Amino acid sequence: MSVSFERTQSVAIIGGGPGGYEAALAAAQLGAEVTVVERAGVGGSAVITDVVPSKSLIATADAAVAIAGASDLGVQLFAKGKDGKPLKPEIAINLGAVNRRLLSLARQQSDDMRASLVEAGVRIVSGHGRLEGPHAVVVSTGPGGTDFDRIEADTLVVSTGSSPRILPSAVPDGERILTWTQLYDMTALPEHLIVVGSGVTGAEFAGAYMNLGAKVTLVSSREHVLPGEDRDAAAVLEKVFKRGGMTVLGKCRAQSVERHGDTVVVTLSDGRTVEGSHCLMAVGSIPNTQGIGLEEAGVQMTESGHIQVNRVARTSVPNIYAAGDCTTFIPLASVASMQGRTAIFHALGDAVIPLEPRRITSNIFTAPEIATVGWQEKDVDEGLINGVVHKLPLAANARAKMMGIKDGFVKIIAHSGSGTVVGGVIVGPRASELIYPIAIAVERRLTVDQVSRVFAVYPSLSGSITDATRAMHIVDQTGAVTG
């Protein structure tokens, strides 16, 4: 669908991360004059210091695990010693080389994204942007720096992202006490990495460094890791962590983190201390919304500093939109991208489908991965939806047996009356890929019967999805699954 304007529309975007990038491309496609103001580089922190490098690190850790576990499949690696006898080589991780590769990949991705914007005719301005009322963006050399550009536009999009939360009692020094953006300066594996925070970020990095060969202690203020996720999925991951040698300290809040020379000491709220070589602080993030003129422009904010937006990414000011981690929506790169496109479609009069949080797919890149979409089992338990749940362990899957997969499952949540698929969880290798058919079922309101009748390759991990939905064929009026 093409959109024509009586006059050329202008769009100014603060932040070139996933939300700003997609907003710029969409606006250029619709014929608008587009300017993007970005201080760090196109792609923002998601590409340069967060999603791209972290998931690349995890891919390296997955490769190390695959090599280490190859002997279970009958593949053995040996080298001959001087006497001709076989030697079993050890897996060695050159973290300096790994990190150089990660940062190189991130920069390449940023450069590719910048080239795409330039090709689309988007003007890119390097600097710090702030709103000057509802129709202008002022660009400066930095916070409190010299202003050098002023951009007037019909539509403004704020996509400034977020930054790691810093606790006064555990201030990072960039060497021993670190945020997740500072991990890539390390040249060798930490002897003992203490991870404070057992949410998504903490769990991903704790698992990655454990699989790379580091000693890891995970400090969780809650009883279990991943407290906000599916309880069965969290239980599987915690079992894998402990089996791999990780120390998981549950119901322990970190009171303070101090550096003593080449060691760090984490003091827990119960008085105990944990000593390690490095500490990663993964205690959440804060939106980058301070000092950029939002309040002065009349944009409604939450107490936490997030920008209040509706389902089309519109703020309280009609021509100002916002996307990504700086908003009240789910902090995912995929969500930021969709918000950016949705904002432009709405602002410029193209067809738009408001975002529905219950249809957003998310993934945790641990090993095994955890992917979710839609309503969850806890929602059924709490009576928020009249649904039924069926879980099928991956260990029963023929392809999983061939691949040596022991951990994981497929869980389907369906409406008890119609059998419509309303949610799902997959725990296993490449769950981020396997969740897609369930996401389609949720989006298109397919029933378990309709999903079960789609041919799946045999043998395949995706076959567990059809097996699970086939088991849910008969659903009686009491909500019990039979058959």
Side-chain angles (χ1 to χ4, degrees):
M1 176 180 177
S2 62
V3 177
S4 60
F5 307 113
E6 295 181 0
R7 64 181 180 84
T8 301
Q9 298 286 300
S10 55
V11 177
I13 301 166
I14 303 178
Y21 171 76
E22 291 291 346
L25 287 181
Q29 185 179 27
L30 295 179
E33 291 182 353
V34 188
T35 301
V36 173
V37 179
E38 171 56 48
R39 62 186 175 87
V42 176
S45 60
V47 168
I48 298 171
T49 61
D50 193 354
V51 179
V52 171
S54 68
K55 277 42 176 185
S56 299
L57 176 73
I58 290 167
T60 300
D62 289 344
V65 170
I67 294 172
S71 60
D72 293 339
L73 304 181
V75 178
Q76 296 178 320
L77 303 177
F78 288 99
K80 289 186 177 180
K82 292 182 180 180
D83 56 0
K85 294 182 179 180
L87 301 173
K88 187 175 182 180
E90 296 181 357
I91 298 173
I93 302 297
N94 184 337
L95 191 64
V98 169
N99 284 338
R100 285 192 296 272
R101 174 179 177 269
L102 307 185
L103 296 178
S104 175
L105 287 174
R107 181 51 61 184
Q108 288 174 26
Q109 181 67 14
S110 176
D111 291 344
D112 289 345
M113 293 172 71
R114 182 184 182 88
S116 295
L117 291 181
V118 171
E119 184 178 356
V122 175
R123 178 189 177 212
I124 303 172
V125 180
S126 297
H128 290 246
R130 72 177 188 277
L131 300 182
E132 187 177 77
H135 289 286
V137 172
V138 175
V139 188
S140 65
T141 54
T146 304
D147 296 342
F148 64 87
D149 201 352
R150 186 176 186 275
I151 305 155
E152 293 188 356
D154 302 301
T155 298
L156 305 182
V157 180
V158 179
S159 183
T160 50
S162 63
S163 300
R165 181 178 171 220
I166 304 298
L167 300 181
S169 59
V171 178
D173 62 6
E175 295 179 353
R176 295 286 171 172
I177 305 174
L178 308 160
T179 68
W180 62 81
T181 65
Q182 299 169 330
L183 286 170
Y184 310 109
D185 293 330
M186 290 194 296
T187 57
L189 276 179
E191 293 180 13
H192 181 188
L193 176 65
I194 305 170
V195 179
V196 176
S198 63
V200 174
T201 300
E204 286 186 345
F205 279 112
Y209 278 96
M210 177 190 76
N211 290 333
L212 288 172
K215 179 182 178 181
V216 177
T217 296
L218 180 60
V219 178
S220 173
S221 61
R222 306 291 284 274
E223 187 174 356
H224 301 291
V225 301
L226 299 176
E229 302 300 321
D230 178 88
R231 59 176 178 266
D232 291 336
V236 169
L237 187 63
E238 187 162 335
K239 180 184 72 174
V240 171
F241 278 175
K242 292 179 178 179
R243 189 173 67 208
M246 185 187 302
T247 300
V248 180
L249 301 177
K251 301 178 71 173
C252 294
R253 187 175 297 276
Q255 196 75 25
S256 65
V257 181
E258 298 177 331
R259 177 177 177 177
H260 299 286
D262 291 337
T263 64
V264 292
V265 177
V266 178
T267 301
L268 306 178
S269 55
D270 60 7
R272 290 182 297 164
T273 60
V274 183
E275 185 175 313
S277 62
H278 297 76
C279 179
L280 168 63
M281 297 300 298
V283 289
S285 59
I286 57 174
N288 298 326
T289 55
Q290 295 299 311
I292 60 172
L294 290 164
E295 295 90 344
E296 293 81 356
V299 175
Q300 184 177 348
M301 315 280 287
T302 66
E303 290 185 4
S304 61
H306 291 84
I307 303 171
Q308 189 75 48
V309 294
N310 63 14
R311 290 172 58 201
V312 295
R314 199 180 201 179
T315 72
S316 56
V317 180
N319 70 302
I320 300 179
Y321 295 76
D325 292 8
C326 63
T327 75
T328 49
F329 248 63
I330 301 172
L332 295 172
S334 58
V335 173
S337 298
M338 188 66 79
Q339 280 184 296
R341 292 192 295 270
T342 301
I344 293 301
F345 293 158
H346 186 266
L348 301 188
D350 202 350
V352 61
I353 300 175
L355 297 177
E356 173 51 63
R358 289 291 179 185
R359 296 179 181 177
I360 293 172
T361 305
S362 63
N363 191 74
I364 302 172
F365 289 87
T366 46
E369 293 182 6
I370 299 172
T372 58
V373 65
W375 295 90
Q376 296 299 296
E377 185 172 8
K378 63 181 179 181
D379 299 321
V380 176
D381 294 340
E382 295 170 1
L384 298 178
I385 184 173
N386 186 17
V388 291
V389 180
H390 184 76
K391 184 176 76 170
L392 186 65
L394 277 183
N397 179 284
R399 185 68 183 275
K401 290 184 174 71
M402 298 171 192
M403 298 171 65
I405 298 170
K406 301 180 179 65
D407 304 298
F409 59 82
V410 169
K411 180 183 289 187
I412 305 292
I413 297 94
H415 193 276
S416 60
S418 63
T420 302
V421 178
V422 295
V425 183
I426 294 182
V427 179
R430 299 294 186 268
S432 52
E433 311 291 344
L434 292 171
I435 196 68
Y436 190 61
I438 302 179
I440 292 176
V442 171
E443 173 68 29
R444 305 311 301 172
R445 299 187 61 80
L446 302 179
T447 66
V448 290
D449 282 349
Q450 288 172 322
V451 175
S452 71
R453 289 167 186 165
V454 176
F455 277 91
V457 170
Y458 181 84
S460 68
L461 296 182
S462 60
S464 286
I465 297 173
T466 55
D467 289 344
T469 52
R470 190 177 300 119
M472 301 175 78
H473 172 56
I474 301 175
V475 183
D476 67 21
Q477 296 302 310
T478 65
V481 179
T482 59

